[in-house]
Amino acid sequence: MTRLWLKTFKDHRINAQSVSECVWGQQSEVLVEMCKQLDLPCPIWLKKHEGEFDRFRRTSFLPEHFVESVDFDKMEIEFLDDSDKKRKSSDPRNQF
């Protein structure tokens, strides 16, 4: 099972969160639906966010990534994968 976890932070505390089923590659569509459910504005998906999400399966959005004003300090999304398949790092420093 794969899911997308959305969290908003205010003063270093989670003040809203939602989890929804998501297939890899569909994260932007699921993010829009989750924002609608939580009555939040949708962030602007930049190349920076795409790169972070591909590498770390997580990215965060600051208030300047929204067209509308927001009442939180940061929004973070994370891709959760419950399968037993382990991911290997491509960093050569981790090759033991």
Side-chain angles (χ1 to χ4, degrees):
M1 174 185 226
T2 57
R3 299 165 293 173
L4 190 68
W5 183 19
L6 180 143
K7 304 170 275 194
T8 60
F9 293 89
K10 177 77 173 181
D11 298 326
H12 304 287
R13 293 185 177 167
I14 296 175
N15 65 346
Q17 65 179 336
S18 178
V19 178
S20 183
E21 289 188 23
C22 179
V23 177
W24 184 259
Q26 304 268 327
Q27 59 270 8
S28 59
E29 293 87 6
V30 174
L31 175 62
V32 169
E33 291 301 318
M34 293 172 77
C35 287
K36 286 180 184 177
Q37 289 174 357
L38 294 174
D39 195 29
L40 298 171
C42 291
I44 299 170
W45 190 267
L46 301 173
K47 191 145 183 93
K48 164 201 170 308
H49 300 118
E50 185 177 330
E52 286 178 354
F53 199 80
D54 287 342
R55 292 175 79 201
F56 308 115
R57 296 183 175 213
R58 172 189 302 205
T59 190
S60 59
F61 302 93
L62 299 175
E64 60 259 18
H65 297 131
F66 294 86
V67 175
E68 302 173 32
S69 63
V70 294
D71 63 342
F72 50 83
D73 301 328
K74 178 174 75 168
M75 175 192 283
E76 187 176 283
I77 60 170
E78 183 176 353
F79 188 78
L80 306 173
D81 189 2
D82 294 338
S83 68
D84 294 330
K85 189 168 56 173
K86 299 291 182 187
R87 293 179 42 219
K88 291 186 178 182
S89 173
S90 61
D91 191 346
R93 294 174 291 183
N94 294 335
Q95 307 281 329
F96 291 104

